[in-house]
Amino acid sequence: MDDFAYQHTAVQENGFQGNSSSRIGAGDSRKTPWNLVLVNKCNPIPDDYDFDLTRLSNGQYVDTRICPELQAVFDAARKDGVYPVVAAGYRTPEKQQSLMDEKIAELEAEGRSAADAKKEAETWVAIPGTSEHQLGLAVDINAGSVRSAGSEVYEWLAKNAWKYGFILRYPPDKTDITGIRYEPWHYRYVGKEAAEQICRQGLCLEEYLSGNL
Ligand SMILES: [Zn+2]
C-alpha cells in the first residue's frame, strides 16, 4: 500500500489559495525564486507570498510544486527499505501560534519566568510568520511505523534528500546562524541545484543565499 499517494485537492475549498494569477514570478518584482525564499526570525513570510497546496493522503498539506520530488524521496527511501512519513507539512498561522503557546506554557510549568520561557521557546519553535511550515515548503519527516526507527529515517534523509532538492534545514553545527536547534526531521525544499551546492559545501540556507543572491 502506498500511504504517500497524493491528490491534487482543490485547495480553494480549504481557503488556502490566493489568486493563482498573481503567483510569484508572474509580474512579481522580487527576484528570489519561490524555492529559495528565505524565512527565518529576521525574514518573515512576504505578505504577497502565494502558493497552491496539495493534500497528502495522510491529511497533511504541502506546496503543490514540491509533490513530485517529495514522492521521489519516499519512493527512493522505500526502495532502500526505509519507511518515512510526513509528520507535518503546511501549517496555518494559527497552528504555528498554538505550537508556540504550548511550548511557552511547558517551559513556564518547569519554573521559567514568562520572559525566559518565551526566549527559550523561540529556539525550539519558529515565531508565527517566520516558520517555513507556513510556506508549505517544509516537511517534518519521521519514521512511519514499526518498520523503521527514527534514527534510520534521519540517517537516510541526511545522506539522500539533497538529490531530490530537499535540505536538512537546521543542521547541528549551524544553530548560531539559523537560530533554531538541530532538527533531524525538518527538511526544506530548495530545488536540486541549490540542495546539491548546500550539501556539497556544508552550508545552511542563510549562508548559501548570502553568497548567491
Ligand atoms: Zn519542521
CSV table of all heavy atoms in Angstrom, one decimal, residues 142-168:
chain,number,residue,atom,x,y,z
A,142,ASN,N,9.3,11.8,9.7
A,142,ASN,CA,9.7,10.8,10.8
A,142,ASN,C,9.5,9.4,10.3
A,142,ASN,O,9.1,9.2,9.2
A,142,ASN,CB,8.8,11.1,12.0
A,142,ASN,CG,9.3,12.4,12.7
A,142,ASN,OD1,10.4,12.7,12.8
A,142,ASN,ND2,8.3,13.1,13.2
A,143,ALA,N,9.8,8.5,11.2
A,143,ALA,CA,9.6,7.1,10.9
A,143,ALA,C,8.1,6.8,10.9
A,143,ALA,O,7.3,7.2,11.7
A,143,ALA,CB,10.3,6.2,11.9
A,144,GLY,N,7.7,6.0,9.8
A,144,GLY,CA,6.3,5.7,9.6
A,144,GLY,C,5.7,4.7,10.5
A,144,GLY,O,4.5,4.9,10.9
A,145,SER,N,6.4,3.7,10.9
A,145,SER,CA,5.8,2.6,11.6
A,145,SER,C,6.9,1.8,12.3
A,145,SER,O,8.0,2.2,12.4
A,145,SER,CB,5.0,1.8,10.7
A,145,SER,OG,5.9,1.2,9.8
A,146,VAL,N,6.5,0.6,12.7
A,146,VAL,CA,7.4,-0.3,13.3
A,146,VAL,C,8.5,-0.7,12.3
A,146,VAL,O,9.5,-1.3,12.7
A,146,VAL,CB,6.8,-1.5,13.9
A,146,VAL,CG1,6.0,-1.1,15.2
A,146,VAL,CG2,5.9,-2.2,12.9
A,147,ARG,N,8.2,-0.4,11.0
A,147,ARG,CA,9.2,-0.9,10.0
A,147,ARG,C,10.5,-0.1,10.0
A,147,ARG,O,11.5,-0.6,9.5
A,147,ARG,CB,8.5,-0.8,8.6
A,147,ARG,CG,7.5,-1.9,8.4
A,147,ARG,CD,7.0,-1.9,7.0
A,147,ARG,NE,6.2,-0.7,6.7
A,147,ARG,CZ,5.6,-0.5,5.6
A,147,ARG,NH1,5.6,-1.4,4.6
A,147,ARG,NH2,4.9,0.6,5.3
A,148,SER,N,10.5,1.1,10.5
A,148,SER,CA,11.7,1.9,10.6
A,148,SER,C,11.8,2.7,11.9
A,148,SER,O,10.8,3.1,12.5
A,148,SER,CB,11.7,3.0,9.4
A,148,SER,OG,11.9,2.4,8.2
A,149,ALA,N,13.0,2.8,12.3
A,149,ALA,CA,13.3,3.6,13.5
A,149,ALA,C,13.6,5.1,13.1
A,149,ALA,O,14.0,5.3,11.9
A,149,ALA,CB,14.5,3.1,14.3
A,150,GLY,N,13.3,6.0,14.0
A,150,GLY,CA,13.5,7.4,13.6
A,150,GLY,C,14.9,7.7,13.2
A,150,GLY,O,15.1,8.3,12.1
A,151,SER,N,15.9,7.1,13.9
A,151,SER,CA,17.3,7.4,13.5
A,151,SER,C,17.6,6.8,12.1
A,151,SER,O,18.4,7.4,11.4
A,151,SER,CB,18.2,6.7,14.6
A,151,SER,OG,17.9,5.3,14.7
A,152,GLU,N,17.0,5.8,11.8
A,152,GLU,CA,17.2,5.2,10.5
A,152,GLU,C,16.7,6.1,9.4
A,152,GLU,O,17.4,6.3,8.3
A,152,GLU,CB,16.5,3.8,10.4
A,152,GLU,CG,16.8,3.0,9.2
A,152,GLU,CD,15.9,1.7,9.2
A,152,GLU,OE1,15.1,1.5,10.0
A,152,GLU,OE2,16.1,0.9,8.2
A,153,VAL,N,15.6,6.7,9.6
A,153,VAL,CA,15.0,7.6,8.6
A,153,VAL,C,15.8,8.9,8.5
A,153,VAL,O,16.2,9.3,7.4
A,153,VAL,CB,13.5,8.0,9.0
A,153,VAL,CG1,13.0,9.2,8.2
A,153,VAL,CG2,12.6,6.8,8.9
A,154,TYR,N,16.2,9.4,9.7
A,154,TYR,CA,17.0,10.6,9.7
A,154,TYR,C,18.4,10.4,9.0
A,154,TYR,O,18.9,11.3,8.2
A,154,TYR,CB,17.3,11.1,11.1
A,154,TYR,CG,16.1,11.4,11.9
A,154,TYR,CD1,16.0,11.3,13.3
A,154,TYR,CD2,14.9,11.8,11.3
A,154,TYR,CE1,14.9,11.5,14.0
A,154,TYR,CE2,13.7,12.1,12.0
A,154,TYR,CZ,13.7,11.9,13.4
A,154,TYR,OH,12.6,12.1,14.1
A,155,GLU,N,19.0,9.3,9.2
A,155,GLU,CA,20.2,8.9,8.6
A,155,GLU,C,20.1,8.9,7.1
A,155,GLU,O,20.9,9.4,6.3
A,155,GLU,CB,20.7,7.6,9.1
A,155,GLU,CG,22.2,7.4,9.2
A,155,GLU,CD,22.6,6.1,9.9
A,155,GLU,OE1,22.3,6.0,11.1
A,155,GLU,OE2,23.1,5.2,9.2
A,156,TRP,N,19.0,8.2,6.6
A,156,TRP,CA,18.8,8.1,5.2
A,156,TRP,C,18.6,9.4,4.6
A,156,TRP,O,19.2,9.8,3.5
A,156,TRP,CB,17.6,7.2,4.9
A,156,TRP,CG,17.5,6.8,3.5
A,156,TRP,CD1,18.0,5.7,2.8
A,156,TRP,CD2,16.8,7.6,2.5
A,156,TRP,NE1,17.7,5.8,1.5
A,156,TRP,CE2,17.0,6.9,1.2
A,156,TRP,CE3,16.1,8.8,2.5
A,156,TRP,CZ2,16.4,7.4,0.0
A,156,TRP,CZ3,15.6,9.3,1.3
A,156,TRP,CH2,15.7,8.6,0.1
A,157,LEU,N,17.8,10.3,5.2
A,157,LEU,CA,17.5,11.6,4.7
A,157,LEU,C,18.7,12.5,4.6
A,157,LEU,O,19.0,13.1,3.6
A,157,LEU,CB,16.4,12.3,5.6
A,157,LEU,CG,15.0,11.7,5.5
A,157,LEU,CD1,14.2,12.4,6.6
A,157,LEU,CD2,14.4,12.0,4.1
A,158,ALA,N,19.5,12.4,5.7
A,158,ALA,CA,20.7,13.2,5.7
A,158,ALA,C,21.7,12.9,4.5
A,158,ALA,O,22.3,13.7,4.0
A,158,ALA,CB,21.5,13.0,7.0
A,159,LYS,N,21.6,11.6,4.1
A,159,LYS,CA,22.5,11.2,3.1
A,159,LYS,C,21.9,11.4,1.7
A,159,LYS,O,22.6,11.6,0.7
A,159,LYS,CB,22.7,9.6,3.3
A,159,LYS,CG,24.0,9.1,2.7
A,159,LYS,CD,24.2,7.7,3.2
A,159,LYS,CE,24.8,6.8,2.1
A,159,LYS,NZ,24.7,5.4,2.3
A,160,ASN,N,20.6,11.3,1.6
A,160,ASN,CA,20.0,11.3,0.2
A,160,ASN,C,19.0,12.4,-0.1
A,160,ASN,O,18.7,12.6,-1.3
A,160,ASN,CB,19.2,10.0,0.1
A,160,ASN,CG,20.1,8.8,0.2
A,160,ASN,OD1,20.9,8.5,-0.7
A,160,ASN,ND2,20.0,8.0,1.3
A,161,ALA,N,18.4,13.1,0.8
A,161,ALA,CA,17.4,14.1,0.5
A,161,ALA,C,17.8,15.1,-0.5
A,161,ALA,O,17.0,15.6,-1.3
A,161,ALA,CB,16.8,14.7,1.8
A,162,TRP,N,19.0,15.6,-0.4
A,162,TRP,CA,19.5,16.6,-1.3
A,162,TRP,C,19.4,16.2,-2.8
A,162,TRP,O,19.2,17.1,-3.7
A,162,TRP,CB,21.0,16.9,-1.0
A,162,TRP,CG,21.9,15.8,-1.3
A,162,TRP,CD1,22.3,14.8,-0.5
A,162,TRP,CD2,22.6,15.6,-2.6
A,162,TRP,NE1,23.2,13.9,-1.1
A,162,TRP,CE2,23.4,14.4,-2.4
A,162,TRP,CE3,22.7,16.2,-3.8
A,162,TRP,CZ2,24.2,13.8,-3.4
A,162,TRP,CZ3,23.5,15.7,-4.8
A,162,TRP,CH2,24.2,14.5,-4.6
A,163,LYS,N,19.4,14.9,-3.1
A,163,LYS,CA,19.3,14.5,-4.5
A,163,LYS,C,18.0,14.9,-5.1
A,163,LYS,O,17.8,14.9,-6.3
A,163,LYS,CB,19.5,13.0,-4.6
A,163,LYS,CG,20.9,12.5,-4.2
A,163,LYS,CD,20.9,11.0,-4.1
A,163,LYS,CE,22.1,10.4,-3.4
A,163,LYS,NZ,21.9,9.0,-3.0
A,164,TYR,N,17.0,15.1,-4.2
A,164,TYR,CA,15.6,15.4,-4.7
A,164,TYR,C,15.3,16.9,-4.4
A,164,TYR,O,14.1,17.2,-4.5
A,164,TYR,CB,14.7,14.4,-4.0
A,164,TYR,CG,15.1,13.0,-4.2
A,164,TYR,CD1,15.9,12.4,-3.3
A,164,TYR,CD2,14.7,12.3,-5.3
A,164,TYR,CE1,16.4,11.1,-3.5
A,164,TYR,CE2,15.2,11.0,-5.6
A,164,TYR,CZ,16.0,10.4,-4.6
A,164,TYR,OH,16.5,9.2,-4.9
A,165,GLY,N,16.3,17.6,-4.0
A,165,GLY,CA,16.0,19.1,-3.8
A,165,GLY,C,15.7,19.5,-2.4
A,165,GLY,O,15.3,20.6,-2.1
A,166,PHE,N,15.8,18.6,-1.4
A,166,PHE,CA,15.5,18.9,0.0
A,166,PHE,C,16.8,19.0,0.8
A,166,PHE,O,17.7,18.2,0.7
A,166,PHE,CB,14.6,17.8,0.6
A,166,PHE,CG,13.2,17.8,0.0
A,166,PHE,CD1,12.9,17.1,-1.1
A,166,PHE,CD2,12.2,18.5,0.6
A,166,PHE,CE1,11.6,17.1,-1.7
A,166,PHE,CE2,10.9,18.5,0.1
A,166,PHE,CZ,10.6,17.8,-1.0
A,167,ILE,N,16.8,20.0,1.7
A,167,ILE,CA,17.9,20.1,2.6
A,167,ILE,C,17.5,20.0,4.1
A,167,ILE,O,16.4,20.3,4.5
A,167,ILE,CB,18.7,21.5,2.4
A,167,ILE,CG1,17.7,22.6,2.6
A,167,ILE,CG2,19.3,21.5,1.1
A,167,ILE,CD1,18.4,24.0,2.9
A,168,LEU,N,18.5,19.5,4.9
A,168,LEU,CA,18.4,19.5,6.3
A,168,LEU,C,18.5,20.9,6.7
A,168,LEU,O,19.5,21.5,6.6
A,168,LEU,CB,19.5,18.6,6.9
A,168,LEU,CG,19.6,18.7,8.5
A,168,LEU,CD1,18.4,17.9,9.1
A,168,LEU,CD2,20.9,18.1,8.9
